[in-house]
Structures are given as C-alpha cells and as structure tokens.
C-alpha cells in the first residue's frame, strides 16, 4: 500500500491529508493559533469538585474548565500529587524517581472528594480536545510519547504493542527495554519499534527523559494554570505516529515547513528525508493531488460508491447512524444473495474510510442490507474488522444483531470533521430567483455601451457561458456583428468559459485585466 501525506499550509491553519493508494482516508486541520493539543501537559488548579459526577473541574487556562473524572486519575495519584508539591516547593531537586518514595495507590471505587481538594495544584495531561460545549478532558496518568516508545512516569510496567505478532520479537523487546528503562518509569513499546536496535531505543528514551526533566524544572515555583510541555504540532505528531516504510511521498506547499519536516525526519528516519517534496506550483496543492475533489465527494449526507450503491450518514447527539442502499445500479449477479453481499462488502470498506476521514467517534449503528445466509454475515463482520485494522483510534465491532444492525464504538479524541459541501448558487446567490434570462443580452449591451464611453480605445473581450457565447455569434447578422457595425467597426471578441454559470459574463481589456462594473 502506498501512502502519501499532502500538507497545505496557510497563514491561519494547516490542513493535512493522508492518502492510501490515492484515496483520501484522513483529513486533519489545525489552526496556527491554537493553544490546546492532545498530549499537552499542564499544571492545573482544582476549580470545583463534583461528587455527584465523581469528577473535578480544573482550570488550565481554557475558557471552559477542563473535566477530570475519577477513573482518569490513575492509581498513582497520591504519588503524583506528592511529586508535584515537592517539585513546586523545591524539595524534589531531581527529575529522576529512583530515590523517590511512592505513596499508597488509590482504590478504583473511591470518591473524588476523598483524594483531591479545591484549589489544589495538580499535574494533568490533555486526553481529549474541547468537543462541542465541553471543555478539554484530562488525565493524571502522564505519558510522554515517542516514535518507538511511550514513557510513563510513576510506573514499572513494560508493555509491548499487540500488533507485534512475532512472540520472539516481543520477548526481545521486553528484555531490551527492561534493561535500559530508568527505575520507576514504565515503558510502552510501540509497533514501530519492531526490529529496532538497542541504540535506537536508548536514544529515544534519553530524549523523552529530557522532556520529563523539562516538566520538572518548570514546576519550581510555578503558579497554575501553566503549560509545562507542548505536544508536537499536528504535522510532526502525525509523522511520528504513522510514518512507516510504506510512505512514498510527503508534499508540502510551505518552504519553512518543508525545511522543518526534513529536519524532523532527519532525527527519526534519516532514510526517508528524500521523500519530502516542496510544492512550488501556483496551482493549489489540494487541487493538484485531487484532494479538493475527494473532499467534495466524500462529505455531506450521502457518500456514493463506484457501483452506484450509496451510504446515508446521519448524526444525532447520542450516536451516528449509517444506512446502506444498493442504488439503481445494483450489480447483475447469479443470485440476489450474492448481489446483496457484494454491496455490503463494498459498503464496509467505504464505511471504514468514512469513520477515519470524518473522525466519527462514540456509538455508530450501521444498517446493512438484510442478508439471509449465515456465512455471508460472518464474512461481512470479518471484512469490516480487516478494513478497520488501519484505524489508529481504539474501536470495538460487534456481531450483526437479530435485526441485521452492526454496532461499533470508536474512540472520540477530537471533534468530528464536518465540511459543508453545498455551495451557494452563483446565479441566485441563495435566493432561489434570478434576473429574467430573456434580458441577459440587454444587460450585456448596456455594460458594453458604458465601457466604450469610458474607454473608447480599449480592446475588449467578453467571457460568457458557452450557450450565451454561441447565441451571440449565431445568425446573420449576429449580435457580435451588430455590435461591430454599431460601434464604428470595433470588434468585440467573445470567448466561452465553461466554468461560468448561465447568466454570468465578464469583460476584459487588452491586458487581460477584468473590467469591474459592480
């Protein structure tokens, strides 16, 4: 599978498109002035305790207080609070934890007001960005991610990604990381670490430890709310998390970002620096790579597939509902059961793409076309799971219910990507009405008279819709010929423009500059 990352940078935001075999599967947007990213570490202050919700609201500098639930505190909360207090006061002078005395763990079924106090400073990390009316969601289980490893302070657990299937490789990585990890720091080994040497992992561990040192040094005399550690920007964090050998192209339209990405890849994957290209054309980068067209066709209420089958995607406050329809171009097959299976299998692939592309999270209900053959139902569930394996968000797929519905839960970390693909009609400007089309030639002639009075020597060119252009040239004498005679043998060149709507027209002078009349 070929993967391409196309990055469109503007003064206000960065748009990142991930293509797999030419198909748009992920679209990320980040405003350049955003202050909150998943993974950022803050020193916050407890603003309010809510025993009824078993949660606390924390001030981290956002306009809405962040939400911290008891289940996100982590068992080592007391140790974290002690470390935070000692670091702020200066008692804890080292960022290392080998000499630090741990406190008792909190119980899973405890209450928030038993472990936290109002106005208490607490070290937190953003778990989810603000979604809709909700503020950011926080966790006290701090992690520092790298490309191969994830560092977890106040833990001694070494875990290896389940996606590394080879048992010998899993054991090798487990032993290797156990030998290099600092005391009282847990480590999660990511899938990208498969086959890597100890030197690579040790180098990354040192980088992550220096970041933890940065958090510790900023805690001294800190007043909440304070940001202590920023996650990488969206572009580099995506590169860190998904970059693999299957990437064959990274294209960016901004010169400075092009240099930064090459520099970043030089540290994490020097052999892939050569795949970074700088888009220098005046034509928009998303247009050149066909992304603008894919965005238009992929968003909206319906999503149509090559066979003619289509999906209807509806969102409610509680869940998302997807309806599969065969359309009027149903494939001619030997049996109806096979035709239904073909539509459902095609839909499963498109649904998996849509969930990633729109970043749909929460509960998703899919109404596939009814199938009677049990083997077909099993095949559909397996195909859906295979397509969802590429999805980085945590998800669970249940078997088809008695009513033929499939239920999926998918991790929601960021707001759903919504793009309104409907455009305001250029003719009526959204009113539903246009000027009388029979008077179009009158309007053109009126504007022509005005221009010739103000610019009698100008060479003029009229751009219009092909139908209008053909009408002005037809017959004898044509409208064009009448103008030539009427205006003292001044020829008005007429050029058709297929992008124009029916009643749109524009005059240009001899320098190809548009003559603005309104």
């Amino acid at each position: 599978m070929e993967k391409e990352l196309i990055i469109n940078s503007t003064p206000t935001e960065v748009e990142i498109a991930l293509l797999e075999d030419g198909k748009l599967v992920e679209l990320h947007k980040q405003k350049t002035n955003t202050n909150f990213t998943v993974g950022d570490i803050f020193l916050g202050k407890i603003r309010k305790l809510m025993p009824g919700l078993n949660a606390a609201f924390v001030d981290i500098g956002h306009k809405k207080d962040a939400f911290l639930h008891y289940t996100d505190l982590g068992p080592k909360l007391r140790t974290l609070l002690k470390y935070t207090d000692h670091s702020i006061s200066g008692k804890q002078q080292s960022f290392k934890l080998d000499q630090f005395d741990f406190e008792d763990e909190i119980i899973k079924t405890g209450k928030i007001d038993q472990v936290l106090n109002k106005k208490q400073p607490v070290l937190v990390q953003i778990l989810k960005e603000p979604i809709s009316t909700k503020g950011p969601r926080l966790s006290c289980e701090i992690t520092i991610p790298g490309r191969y490893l994830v560092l977890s302070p106040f833990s001694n657990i070494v875990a290896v990604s389940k996606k590394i299937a080879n048992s010998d490789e899993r054991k090798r990585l487990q032993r290797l990381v156990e030998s290099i990890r600092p005391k009282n720091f847990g480590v999660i080994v990511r899938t990208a670490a498969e086959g890597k040497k100890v030197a690579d992992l040790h180098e990354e561990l040192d980088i992550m430890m220096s970041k933890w040192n940065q958090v510790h040094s900023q805690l001294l005399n800190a007043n909440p709310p304070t940001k202590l550690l920023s996650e990488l920007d969206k572009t580099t964090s995506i590169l860190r998390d998904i970059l693999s050998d299957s990437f064959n192209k990274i294209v960016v339209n901004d010169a400075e970002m092009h240099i930064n990405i090459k520099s970043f890849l030089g540290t994490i994957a020097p052999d892939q620096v050569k795949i970074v290209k700088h888009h220098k054309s005046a034509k928009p980068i998303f247009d050149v790579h066909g992304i603008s067209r894919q965005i238009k066709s992929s968003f909206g209420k319906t999503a149509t597939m090559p066979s003619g089958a289509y999906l209807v995607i509806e969102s409610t406050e509680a869940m998302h509902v997807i309806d599969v329809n065969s359309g009027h171009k149903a494939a001619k097959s030997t049996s109806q059961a096979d035709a239904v299976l073909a539509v459902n299998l095609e839909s499963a692939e498109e649904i998996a793409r849509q969930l990633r592309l729109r970043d749909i999270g929460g509960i998703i209900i899919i109404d596939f076309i009814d199938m009677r053959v049990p083997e077909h139902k099993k095949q559909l569930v397996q195909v859906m799971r295979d397509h969802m394996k590429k999805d980085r968000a945590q998800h669970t797929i249940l078997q088809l219910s008695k009513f033929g519905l499939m239920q999926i839960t998918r991790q929601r970390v960021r707001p759903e990507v919504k793009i309104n693909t409907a455009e305001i009609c250029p003719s009526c400007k959204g009113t539903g009405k246009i000027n009388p089309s029979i008077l179009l030639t009158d309007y053109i002639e009126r504007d022509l008279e005005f221009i010739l009075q103000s610019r009698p020597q100008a060479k003029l060119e009229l751009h219009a819709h092909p139908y209008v252009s053909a009408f002005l040239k037809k017959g004898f004498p044509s409208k064009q010929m009448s103008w030539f005679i009427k205006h003292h043998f001044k020829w008005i060149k007429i050029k058709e423009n297929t992008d124009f709507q029916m009643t749109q027209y524009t005059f240009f002078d001899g320098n190809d500059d548009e003559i603005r009349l309104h």
Side-chain angles (χ1 to χ4, degrees):
M1 179 188 295
E2 289 190 347
K3 290 185 180 179
E4 299 173 64
L5 208 63
I6 313 299
I7 303 162
N8 179 32
S9 178
T10 68
T12 56
E13 69 177 4
V14 177
E15 293 178 291
I16 305 153
L18 174 62
L19 305 179
E20 290 181 355
D21 291 334
K23 267 192 173 183
L24 179 65
V25 293
E26 288 185 27
L27 186 66
H28 301 267
K29 291 188 179 185
Q30 183 182 34
K31 293 198 179 297
T32 51
N33 60 352
T34 184
N35 294 321
F36 294 88
T37 308
V38 171
D40 286 356
I41 298 174
F42 285 82
L43 177 66
K45 181 168 67 175
I46 305 295
R47 180 70 68 88
K48 190 187 296 183
L49 296 174
M50 302 292 288
L53 297 173
N54 205 17
F57 286 100
V58 184
D59 178 16
I60 60 169
H62 191 262
K63 60 183 178 181
K64 287 185 178 292
D65 287 341
F67 184 77
L68 177 62
H69 194 267
Y70 186 90
T71 53
D72 294 318
L73 296 177
K76 305 291 187 183
L77 176 70
R78 291 193 179 98
T79 304
L80 177 75
L81 293 174
K82 177 183 172 183
Y83 180 87
T84 304
D85 288 339
H86 286 193
S87 297
I88 292 171
S89 64
K91 289 182 184 177
Q92 178 66 26
Q93 296 184 349
S94 172
F95 69 96
K96 296 181 180 178
L97 302 175
D98 47 356
Q99 303 295 324
F100 190 75
D101 294 328
F102 279 27
E103 298 294 308
D104 294 336
E105 294 185 0
I106 63 172
I107 59 173
K108 290 183 179 179
T109 54
K111 300 295 180 185
I112 194 85
D113 52 0
Q114 295 171 347
V115 293
L116 290 176
N117 302 313
K118 194 175 178 183
K119 296 187 178 180
Q120 182 177 13
V122 59
L123 199 63
V124 290
Q125 187 167 29
I126 294 186
L127 203 59
K128 292 182 181 179
E129 288 181 8
I131 296 174
S132 185
T133 58
K134 301 172 183 175
R137 181 155 184 172
L138 305 176
S139 172
C140 285
E141 295 189 273
I142 308 297
T143 57
I144 299 174
R147 189 182 180 204
Y148 307 127
L149 308 170
V150 178
L151 187 68
S152 179
F154 312 107
S155 171
N156 283 294
I157 296 171
V158 174
V160 181
S161 168
K162 293 178 182 177
K163 292 183 180 178
I164 299 177
N166 188 305
S167 59
D168 290 337
E169 178 63 8
R170 291 174 64 86
K171 288 176 185 175
R172 181 188 78 87
L173 289 168
Q174 181 96 23
R175 288 196 302 270
L176 195 154
V177 172
E178 281 283 8
S179 67
I180 61 173
R181 74 171 180 88
K183 187 179 178 183
N184 292 330
F185 283 89
V187 176
I188 300 168
V189 183
R190 305 182 76 164
T191 312
E194 189 171 8
K196 297 301 174 185
K197 298 176 182 177
V198 64
D200 298 325
L201 303 184
H202 200 284
E203 181 183 359
E204 185 169 83
L205 199 58
D206 287 343
I207 293 170
M208 291 189 291
M209 286 298 290
S210 68
K211 289 183 178 180
W212 177 249
N213 186 14
Q214 179 186 334
V215 171
H216 171 263
S217 60
Q218 290 192 86
L219 277 173
L220 182 63
N221 299 322
N223 291 315
T226 304
K227 183 188 283 192
L228 303 174
L229 185 68
S230 275
E231 174 61 294
L232 298 167
D233 63 68
K234 185 87 76 175
T235 308
T236 45
S237 65
I238 287 173
L239 281 174
R240 181 196 64 200
D241 292 344
I242 67 175
L243 187 68
S244 64
D245 296 336
S246 60
F247 264 85
N248 67 323
K249 192 188 293 182
I250 298 170
V251 188
V252 59
N253 65 341
D254 182 76
E256 185 179 348
M257 186 174 284
H258 174 250
I259 295 167
N260 292 342
I261 290 173
K262 290 188 81 166
S263 174
F264 177 72
L265 284 183
T267 59
I268 68 166
D271 54 325
Q272 289 187 288
V273 172
K274 61 182 181 293
I275 69 173
V276 184
K277 311 292 182 188
H278 182 206
H279 175 82
K280 296 178 181 178
S281 169
K283 195 173 180 183
I285 187 170
F286 273 15
D287 290 354
V288 170
H289 294 274
I291 295 166
S292 299
R293 180 178 288 274
Q294 289 199 53
I295 289 172
K296 290 286 186 185
S297 64
S298 299
F299 286 87
K301 185 178 176 180
T302 60
T304 306
M305 293 166 281
S307 70
Y310 63 94
L311 308 175
V312 178
I313 303 170
E314 296 273 12
S315 297
T316 71
E317 189 68 26
M319 67 179 69
H320 304 269
V321 182
I322 302 175
D323 184 36
V324 177
N325 296 275
S326 61
H328 61 280
K329 297 180 182 176
K332 293 179 180 178
S333 182
T334 52
S335 71
Q336 185 182 359
D338 290 341
V340 168
L341 176 63
V343 170
N344 282 343
L345 293 181
E346 184 186 21
S347 301
E349 181 179 3
E350 180 62 19
I351 288 168
R353 184 179 83 98
Q354 288 286 341
L355 296 185
R356 290 175 68 189
L357 183 57
R358 301 183 187 219
D359 213 355
I360 294 174
I363 300 171
I364 301 127
I365 308 293
I366 306 167
D367 182 13
F368 284 104
I369 301 172
D370 288 341
M371 295 182 294
R372 302 292 176 88
V373 184
E375 285 303 317
H376 287 181
K377 293 181 179 180
K378 289 180 183 176
Q379 186 179 347
L380 175 61
V381 174
Q382 187 55 51
V383 166
M384 191 75 205
R385 286 177 175 160
D386 289 343
H387 288 309
M388 290 289 284
K389 280 180 182 176
K390 304 172 198 169
D391 196 339
R392 291 180 291 135
Q394 294 179 14
H395 57 268
T396 304
I397 302 171
L398 300 184
Q399 297 286 344
L400 290 169
S401 71
K402 289 181 180 179
F403 298 117
L405 302 176
M406 180 181 286
Q407 300 171 65
I408 299 177
T409 59
R410 187 175 182 274
Q411 179 188 23
R412 178 157 54 184
V413 176
R414 298 177 183 86
E416 179 188 348
V417 178
K418 291 183 179 179
I419 297 175
N420 184 8
T421 56
E423 298 176 354
I424 293 175
C425 171
S427 297
C428 70
K429 303 292 188 277
T431 64
K433 294 178 172 60
I434 62 170
N435 292 326
S437 54
I438 197 171
L439 301 178
L440 178 62
T441 54
D442 293 351
Y443 297 145
I444 294 175
E445 289 180 1
R446 180 196 63 195
D447 289 344
L448 179 59
E449 292 278 357
F450 176 79
I451 293 170
L452 288 175
Q453 285 176 13
S454 57
R455 306 184 185 193
Q457 302 304 320
K459 289 184 178 179
L460 297 182
E461 188 174 287
L462 171 66
H463 290 205
H465 186 276
Y467 288 176
V468 176
S469 174
F471 176 77
L472 295 173
K473 293 177 181 179
K474 77 168 187 173
F476 184 84
S478 65
K479 282 282 183 184
Q480 189 178 27
M481 183 62 70
S482 298
W483 295 343
F484 176 68
I485 298 168
K486 182 179 178 181
H487 298 292
H488 306 289
F489 305 104
K490 189 175 184 64
W491 185 252
I492 311 301
K493 190 175 180 182
I494 299 175
K495 187 174 181 181
E496 62 182 44
N497 189 326
T498 55
D499 292 332
F500 277 18
Q501 44 85 10
M502 189 69 74
T503 59
Q504 184 179 357
Y505 63 90
T506 305
F507 285 97
F508 288 84
D509 63 18
N511 298 319
D512 284 335
D513 291 328
E514 181 182 344
I515 300 172
R516 298 186 180 274
L517 299 169
H518 306 291

